[in-house]
Amino acid sequence: DELIDKYDIHHCGLTVVWPYYEYDDLVFWQSRSALEKIYLFPPETVGVTKSHFLFGFDHVEPGQYVVITEAIFGAMTLQEQCVASGGAIMGKHQVSKLKLLYPKKGIIFAPDNDLAGKQSIITNYDLAIGAKYPMFYSIPSKVKMPNGKFTKDWNEVGETIGFGKPVKDMFAANIKPLNNENLIKLRLECAQMAVDKARLL
């Protein structure tokens, strides 16, 4: 109930609708059917896509820091100062929206723990470096779920170890600066993951 009220979530039958607000104006929305699990967005003929906006924009206090997750569920899991880009790689319009939030204390990329997520840290760093804010990243640890698989994103971690303090503590403990040393480590790790993935094909 708290999350429904905070993010003004609606439904139409079995379809859940998440609105995007900027300065209290409705600027975009996305929905998901509870049955087919299919996401829907406004038609692209309106001239904008999800890459133009950040979900949770109005819940970020300007002049502090900003956490960027891939998906809405990740943003709703971490909540504090958190937005969702709707994909691994940020769009140029989203980078501009970051500047409006003036995150002088830093930008924290919080992607999924997979190859695409780790690669996105490097790409998004290159996209946002011109804004000249400190940059960090926090990747969720792999936690074994009841079904035997391992968690990939922050929402799965929350479902496994507990929402609220447990998942937020993991997030805080995993924050690392995006300095040259860690960028090199990420590039090497991504290269190895790409090789391992190719071997499985």
Side-chain angles (χ1 to χ4, degrees):
D1 290 346
E2 181 183 342
L3 288 176
I4 290 171
D5 290 339
K6 177 177 179 179
Y7 293 105
D8 195 29
I9 300 170
H10 295 266
H11 74 91
C12 180
L14 294 176
T15 298
V16 180
V17 182
W18 291 268
Y20 287 52
Y21 290 104
E22 287 182 5
Y23 307 112
D24 294 326
D25 286 334
L26 177 65
V27 293
F28 198 70
W29 57 264
Q30 76 175 64
S31 68
R32 186 187 188 195
S33 166
L35 292 179
E36 294 89 6
K37 309 296 184 185
I38 297 173
Y39 284 98
L40 295 175
F41 307 90
E44 293 189 9
T45 53
V46 301
V48 293
T49 66
K50 64 180 179 179
S51 67
H52 285 73
F53 307 104
L54 295 167
F55 175 82
F57 181 92
D58 273 6
H59 294 288
V60 172
E61 182 180 349
Q64 300 298 314
Y65 65 93
V66 177
V67 179
I68 305 171
T69 64
E70 291 186 32
I72 283 178
F73 289 114
M76 291 173 63
T77 295
L78 298 178
Q79 290 193 55
E80 297 170 17
Q81 294 294 106
C82 196
V83 297
S85 59
I89 307 299
M90 295 183 66
K92 63 180 181 180
H93 297 286
Q94 291 174 323
V95 174
S96 297
K97 297 294 168 67
L98 276 181
K99 295 176 183 178
L100 294 176
L101 294 172
Y102 184 49
K104 62 181 181 181
K105 294 185 178 179
I107 297 168
I108 308 172
F109 299 111
D112 295 351
N113 189 349
D114 57 15
L115 177 57
K118 291 178 181 181
Q119 288 175 330
S120 76
I121 296 171
I122 300 166
T123 302
N124 289 331
Y125 171 84
D126 290 338
L127 290 170
I129 194 169
K132 298 182 179 179
Y133 298 121
M135 284 189 273
F136 308 85
Y137 67 100
S138 181
I139 299 172
S141 302
K142 295 278 189 180
V143 180
K144 194 170 185 178
M145 297 185 286
N147 62 8
K149 296 181 179 180
F150 287 88
T151 56
K152 183 182 75 171
D153 58 46
W154 291 107
N155 184 60
E156 289 179 345
V157 170
E159 290 176 337
T160 305
I161 69 172
F163 291 103
K165 190 175 187 302
V167 68
K168 291 178 181 179
D169 284 349
M170 177 190 286
F171 167 76
N174 289 1
I175 295 175
K176 297 177 182 177
L178 262 173
N179 53 27
N180 287 334
E181 179 183 355
N182 284 325
L183 282 167
I184 291 171
K185 287 180 180 178
L186 279 169
R187 288 190 173 97
L188 291 173
E189 188 173 353
C190 287
Q192 185 59 56
M193 290 175 73
V195 169
D196 294 341
K197 184 178 180 180
R199 285 174 178 166
L200 294 173
L201 296 177

mmCIF file of all heavy atoms in Angstrom, residues 17 25 30 41 52-53 119 177 187:
data_model
loop_
_atom_site.group_PDB
_atom_site.id
_atom_site.type_symbol
_atom_site.label_atom_id
_atom_site.label_comp_id
_atom_site.label_asym_id
_atom_site.label_seq_id
_atom_site.Cartn_x
_atom_site.Cartn_y
_atom_site.Cartn_z
ATOM 1 N N VAL A 17 -0.466 0.002 -14.044
ATOM 2 C CA VAL A 17 0.048 1.178 -14.755
ATOM 3 C C VAL A 17 0.924 2.011 -13.814
ATOM 4 O O VAL A 17 0.498 2.394 -12.727
ATOM 5 C CB VAL A 17 -1.100 2.053 -15.304
ATOM 6 C CG1 VAL A 17 -0.536 3.247 -16.076
ATOM 7 C CG2 VAL A 17 -2.041 1.230 -16.168
ATOM 8 N N ASP A 25 3.906 16.917 -13.165
ATOM 9 C CA ASP A 25 3.204 16.739 -14.445
ATOM 10 C C ASP A 25 3.381 15.301 -14.928
ATOM 11 O O ASP A 25 4.496 14.755 -14.895
ATOM 12 C CB ASP A 25 3.752 17.696 -15.508
ATOM 13 C CG ASP A 25 3.310 19.127 -15.300
ATOM 14 O OD1 ASP A 25 2.243 19.330 -14.686
ATOM 15 O OD2 ASP A 25 4.029 20.034 -15.739
ATOM 16 N N GLN A 30 3.944 3.520 -18.228
ATOM 17 C CA GLN A 30 4.123 2.183 -18.780
ATOM 18 C C GLN A 30 3.219 1.244 -17.989
ATOM 19 O O GLN A 30 2.878 1.512 -16.837
ATOM 20 C CB GLN A 30 5.567 1.717 -18.745
ATOM 21 C CG GLN A 30 6.110 1.274 -17.419
ATOM 22 C CD GLN A 30 7.514 0.722 -17.552
ATOM 23 O OE1 GLN A 30 8.452 1.427 -17.912
ATOM 24 N NE2 GLN A 30 7.689 -0.545 -17.234
ATOM 25 N N PHE A 41 3.577 0.740 -23.631
ATOM 26 C CA PHE A 41 3.977 2.133 -23.473
ATOM 27 C C PHE A 41 3.127 2.988 -24.407
ATOM 28 O O PHE A 41 2.482 2.466 -25.324
ATOM 29 C CB PHE A 41 5.459 2.312 -23.838
ATOM 30 C CG PHE A 41 6.384 1.382 -23.108
ATOM 31 C CD1 PHE A 41 6.703 0.134 -23.631
ATOM 32 C CD2 PHE A 41 6.932 1.752 -21.896
ATOM 33 C CE1 PHE A 41 7.556 -0.738 -22.964
ATOM 34 C CE2 PHE A 41 7.786 0.891 -21.213
ATOM 35 C CZ PHE A 41 8.092 -0.352 -21.746
ATOM 36 N N HIS A 52 13.335 8.924 -22.892
ATOM 37 C CA HIS A 52 13.285 10.368 -22.656
ATOM 38 C C HIS A 52 13.115 10.710 -21.175
ATOM 39 O O HIS A 52 13.317 11.869 -20.784
ATOM 40 C CB HIS A 52 12.120 10.999 -23.427
ATOM 41 C CG HIS A 52 12.343 11.135 -24.895
ATOM 42 N ND1 HIS A 52 12.319 10.067 -25.760
ATOM 43 C CD2 HIS A 52 12.588 12.226 -25.659
ATOM 44 C CE1 HIS A 52 12.542 10.496 -26.996
ATOM 45 N NE2 HIS A 52 12.715 11.792 -26.966
ATOM 46 N N PHE A 53 12.726 9.717 -20.359
ATOM 47 C CA PHE A 53 12.329 10.020 -18.982
ATOM 48 C C PHE A 53 12.968 9.066 -17.975
ATOM 49 O O PHE A 53 13.461 8.004 -18.327
ATOM 50 C CB PHE A 53 10.802 9.944 -18.851
ATOM 51 C CG PHE A 53 10.071 10.788 -19.862
ATOM 52 C CD1 PHE A 53 9.458 10.195 -20.959
ATOM 53 C CD2 PHE A 53 10.018 12.164 -19.741
ATOM 54 C CE1 PHE A 53 8.795 10.962 -21.896
ATOM 55 C CE2 PHE A 53 9.367 12.943 -20.676
ATOM 56 C CZ PHE A 53 8.747 12.342 -21.761
ATOM 57 N N GLN A 119 28.331 -4.163 -18.579
ATOM 58 C CA GLN A 119 28.742 -3.355 -19.729
ATOM 59 C C GLN A 119 28.092 -1.979 -19.689
ATOM 60 O O GLN A 119 28.696 -0.981 -20.099
ATOM 61 C CB GLN A 119 28.381 -4.080 -21.025
ATOM 62 C CG GLN A 119 29.248 -5.280 -21.326
ATOM 63 C CD GLN A 119 28.796 -6.054 -22.554
ATOM 64 O OE1 GLN A 119 27.603 -6.084 -22.872
ATOM 65 N NE2 GLN A 119 29.729 -6.701 -23.240
ATOM 66 N N PRO A 177 33.693 3.203 -6.245
ATOM 67 C CA PRO A 177 33.901 4.377 -7.110
ATOM 68 C C PRO A 177 34.221 3.957 -8.536
ATOM 69 O O PRO A 177 34.877 2.934 -8.764
ATOM 70 C CB PRO A 177 35.099 5.080 -6.462
ATOM 71 C CG PRO A 177 35.854 3.972 -5.785
ATOM 72 C CD PRO A 177 34.804 2.996 -5.294
ATOM 73 N N ARG A 187 35.999 -3.879 -17.339
ATOM 74 C CA ARG A 187 36.238 -4.225 -18.742
ATOM 75 C C ARG A 187 36.792 -5.644 -18.869
ATOM 76 O O ARG A 187 36.384 -6.408 -19.750
ATOM 77 C CB ARG A 187 37.184 -3.214 -19.378
ATOM 78 C CG ARG A 187 36.545 -1.845 -19.620
ATOM 79 C CD ARG A 187 37.440 -0.956 -20.463
ATOM 80 N NE ARG A 187 36.768 0.283 -20.819
ATOM 81 C CZ ARG A 187 36.909 1.431 -20.174
ATOM 82 N NH1 ARG A 187 37.742 1.510 -19.136
ATOM 83 N NH2 ARG A 187 36.262 2.512 -20.560
#
